[in-house]
Short mmCIF file of all heavy atoms in Angstrom, two decimals:
data_model
loop_
_atom_site.label_atom_id
_atom_site.label_comp_id
_atom_site.label_asym_id
_atom_site.label_seq_id
_atom_site.Cartn_x
_atom_site.Cartn_y
_atom_site.Cartn_z
N LEU H 115 -1.94 23.57 17.69
CA LEU H 115 -3.38 23.44 17.96
C LEU H 115 -3.81 21.98 17.99
O LEU H 115 -4.77 21.63 18.70
CB LEU H 115 -4.18 24.24 16.94
CG LEU H 115 -4.09 25.76 17.11
CD1 LEU H 115 -4.65 26.48 15.89
CD2 LEU H 115 -4.79 26.20 18.39
N TRP H 116 -3.13 21.13 17.23
CA TRP H 116 -3.44 19.69 17.29
C TRP H 116 -3.21 19.18 18.72
O TRP H 116 -4.04 18.47 19.28
CB TRP H 116 -2.58 18.92 16.29
CG TRP H 116 -2.91 17.46 16.22
CD1 TRP H 116 -3.84 16.88 15.42
CD2 TRP H 116 -2.32 16.38 16.96
NE1 TRP H 116 -3.88 15.52 15.62
CE2 TRP H 116 -2.95 15.19 16.57
CE3 TRP H 116 -1.32 16.33 17.93
CZ2 TRP H 116 -2.61 13.95 17.10
CZ3 TRP H 116 -0.98 15.09 18.47
CH2 TRP H 116 -1.63 13.92 18.06
N PHE H 117 -2.07 19.58 19.31
CA PHE H 117 -1.77 19.16 20.68
C PHE H 117 -2.77 19.76 21.68
O PHE H 117 -3.17 19.09 22.63
CB PHE H 117 -0.33 19.54 21.06
CG PHE H 117 0.69 18.62 20.47
CD1 PHE H 117 1.42 19.00 19.35
CD2 PHE H 117 0.92 17.36 21.02
CE1 PHE H 117 2.37 18.15 18.80
CE2 PHE H 117 1.87 16.51 20.47
CZ PHE H 117 2.59 16.90 19.36
N VAL H 118 -3.16 21.00 21.46
CA VAL H 118 -4.13 21.65 22.36
C VAL H 118 -5.45 20.89 22.36
O VAL H 118 -5.99 20.56 23.43
CB VAL H 118 -4.34 23.13 21.96
CG1 VAL H 118 -5.56 23.72 22.66
CG2 VAL H 118 -3.10 23.95 22.28
N GLN H 119 -5.98 20.59 21.17
CA GLN H 119 -7.28 19.90 21.13
C GLN H 119 -7.18 18.51 21.73
O GLN H 119 -8.11 18.04 22.38
CB GLN H 119 -7.87 19.89 19.71
CG GLN H 119 -7.12 19.12 18.65
CD GLN H 119 -7.28 17.61 18.70
OE1 GLN H 119 -8.30 17.10 19.14
NE2 GLN H 119 -6.26 16.91 18.27
N LEU H 120 -6.03 17.84 21.56
CA LEU H 120 -5.88 16.51 22.13
C LEU H 120 -5.85 16.57 23.66
O LEU H 120 -6.47 15.76 24.35
CB LEU H 120 -4.62 15.83 21.58
CG LEU H 120 -4.50 14.34 21.87
CD1 LEU H 120 -5.61 13.55 21.18
CD2 LEU H 120 -3.14 13.83 21.40
N GLY H 121 -5.15 17.57 24.19
CA GLY H 121 -5.13 17.76 25.65
C GLY H 121 -6.50 18.10 26.20
O GLY H 121 -6.90 17.59 27.26
N LEU H 122 -7.23 18.97 25.50
CA LEU H 122 -8.58 19.30 25.93
C LEU H 122 -9.49 18.08 25.89
O LEU H 122 -10.35 17.90 26.75
CB LEU H 122 -9.15 20.43 25.06
CG LEU H 122 -8.53 21.80 25.27
CD1 LEU H 122 -8.96 22.76 24.15
CD2 LEU H 122 -8.91 22.36 26.63
N ASN H 123 -9.29 17.23 24.90
CA ASN H 123 -10.06 16.00 24.79
C ASN H 123 -9.86 15.13 26.03
O ASN H 123 -10.81 14.64 26.63
CB ASN H 123 -9.64 15.25 23.52
CG ASN H 123 -10.38 13.97 23.31
OD1 ASN H 123 -10.23 13.03 24.08
ND2 ASN H 123 -11.17 13.91 22.25
N ALA H 124 -8.61 14.97 26.44
CA ALA H 124 -8.31 14.15 27.62
C ALA H 124 -8.84 14.80 28.90
O ALA H 124 -9.26 14.10 29.82
CB ALA H 124 -6.80 13.92 27.72
N ALA H 125 -8.84 16.12 28.95
CA ALA H 125 -9.28 16.82 30.16
C ALA H 125 -10.77 16.63 30.43
O ALA H 125 -11.20 16.57 31.58
CB ALA H 125 -8.95 18.31 30.05
N TRP H 126 -11.57 16.53 29.37
CA TRP H 126 -13.02 16.41 29.58
C TRP H 126 -13.37 15.17 30.39
O TRP H 126 -14.13 15.24 31.36
CB TRP H 126 -13.79 16.39 28.24
CG TRP H 126 -15.26 16.35 28.50
CD1 TRP H 126 -16.08 17.41 28.71
CD2 TRP H 126 -16.08 15.18 28.67
NE1 TRP H 126 -17.36 16.99 28.99
CE2 TRP H 126 -17.38 15.61 28.97
CE3 TRP H 126 -15.83 13.81 28.60
CZ2 TRP H 126 -18.43 14.73 29.19
CZ3 TRP H 126 -16.89 12.94 28.82
CH2 TRP H 126 -18.17 13.40 29.10
N SER H 127 -12.84 14.03 30.02
CA SER H 127 -13.16 12.79 30.74
C SER H 127 -12.75 12.88 32.20
O SER H 127 -13.44 12.39 33.08
CB SER H 127 -12.48 11.59 30.08
OG SER H 127 -13.06 11.34 28.83
N HIS H 128 -11.60 13.50 32.43
CA HIS H 128 -11.12 13.65 33.81
C HIS H 128 -12.10 14.52 34.62
O HIS H 128 -12.48 14.15 35.73
CB HIS H 128 -9.72 14.27 33.80
CG HIS H 128 -9.13 14.41 35.15
ND1 HIS H 128 -8.63 13.35 35.87
CD2 HIS H 128 -8.97 15.50 35.95
CE1 HIS H 128 -8.19 13.77 37.04
NE2 HIS H 128 -8.39 15.06 37.11
N LEU H 129 -12.53 15.63 34.05
CA LEU H 129 -13.47 16.51 34.76
C LEU H 129 -14.81 15.83 34.99
O LEU H 129 -15.37 15.90 36.09
CB LEU H 129 -13.71 17.79 33.96
CG LEU H 129 -12.68 18.88 34.08
CD1 LEU H 129 -12.97 19.99 33.07
CD2 LEU H 129 -12.65 19.44 35.49
N PHE H 130 -15.33 15.18 33.96
CA PHE H 130 -16.67 14.61 34.06
C PHE H 130 -16.69 13.35 34.92
O PHE H 130 -17.46 13.24 35.86
CB PHE H 130 -17.21 14.30 32.65
CG PHE H 130 -18.65 13.86 32.65
CD1 PHE H 130 -19.66 14.79 32.49
CD2 PHE H 130 -19.01 12.53 32.79
CE1 PHE H 130 -20.99 14.41 32.47
CE2 PHE H 130 -20.33 12.12 32.78
CZ PHE H 130 -21.33 13.07 32.63
N PHE H 131 -15.86 12.38 34.59
CA PHE H 131 -15.94 11.07 35.24
C PHE H 131 -15.14 10.97 36.54
O PHE H 131 -15.59 10.37 37.49
CB PHE H 131 -15.47 9.97 34.28
CG PHE H 131 -16.43 9.75 33.14
CD1 PHE H 131 -16.09 10.09 31.85
CD2 PHE H 131 -17.68 9.20 33.37
CE1 PHE H 131 -16.97 9.88 30.79
CE2 PHE H 131 -18.57 8.98 32.33
CZ PHE H 131 -18.21 9.33 31.04
N ARG H 132 -13.95 11.52 36.58
CA ARG H 132 -13.12 11.37 37.77
C ARG H 132 -13.47 12.42 38.83
O ARG H 132 -13.64 12.11 39.99
CB ARG H 132 -11.64 11.42 37.42
CG ARG H 132 -10.76 11.06 38.60
CD ARG H 132 -9.35 10.73 38.17
NE ARG H 132 -9.28 9.50 37.39
CZ ARG H 132 -8.95 8.32 37.89
NH1 ARG H 132 -8.67 8.20 39.16
NH2 ARG H 132 -8.87 7.27 37.12
N LYS H 133 -13.56 13.69 38.39
CA LYS H 133 -13.85 14.78 39.33
C LYS H 133 -15.35 14.97 39.55
O LYS H 133 -15.75 15.62 40.52
CB LYS H 133 -13.23 16.09 38.85
CG LYS H 133 -11.73 16.08 38.80
CD LYS H 133 -11.15 16.02 40.18
CE LYS H 133 -9.65 16.14 40.14
NZ LYS H 133 -9.07 16.10 41.47
N ARG H 134 -16.17 14.46 38.64
CA ARG H 134 -17.63 14.56 38.70
C ARG H 134 -18.09 16.02 38.74
O ARG H 134 -19.05 16.37 39.42
CB ARG H 134 -18.18 13.78 39.90
CG ARG H 134 -17.86 12.31 39.81
CD ARG H 134 -18.36 11.54 40.99
NE ARG H 134 -17.99 10.14 40.82
CZ ARG H 134 -18.25 9.20 41.70
NH1 ARG H 134 -18.90 9.51 42.80
NH2 ARG H 134 -17.89 7.97 41.48
N ARG H 135 -17.40 16.83 37.98
CA ARG H 135 -17.72 18.26 37.90
C ARG H 135 -18.45 18.49 36.58
O ARG H 135 -17.85 18.84 35.57
CB ARG H 135 -16.44 19.08 38.01
CG ARG H 135 -15.79 18.83 39.38
CD ARG H 135 -14.69 19.78 39.72
NE ARG H 135 -15.15 21.16 39.62
CZ ARG H 135 -14.35 22.15 39.31
NH1 ARG H 135 -13.07 21.94 39.08
NH2 ARG H 135 -14.82 23.38 39.24
N LEU H 136 -19.74 18.26 36.61
CA LEU H 136 -20.55 18.25 35.39
C LEU H 136 -20.58 19.60 34.69
O LEU H 136 -20.47 19.67 33.46
CB LEU H 136 -21.96 17.77 35.70
CG LEU H 136 -22.07 16.38 36.35
CD1 LEU H 136 -23.53 16.04 36.61
CD2 LEU H 136 -21.42 15.33 35.48
N LYS H 137 -20.75 20.68 35.46
CA LYS H 137 -20.80 22.01 34.83
C LYS H 137 -19.44 22.37 34.25
O LYS H 137 -19.36 22.90 33.13
CB LYS H 137 -21.24 23.07 35.84
CG LYS H 137 -22.71 22.98 36.19
CD LYS H 137 -23.10 24.05 37.18
CE LYS H 137 -24.54 23.85 37.60
NZ LYS H 137 -24.93 24.78 38.66
#
Side-chain angles (χ1 to χ4, degrees):
L115 289 168
W116 185 88
F117 283 102
V118 167
Q119 65 77 29
L120 192 64
L122 289 168
N123 180 294
W126 183 86
S127 291
H128 182 75
L129 279 172
F130 187 92
F131 290 111
R132 189 164 293 262
K133 296 292 185 179
R134 298 178 181 178
R135 298 192 55 210
L136 302 179
K137 288 180 185 174

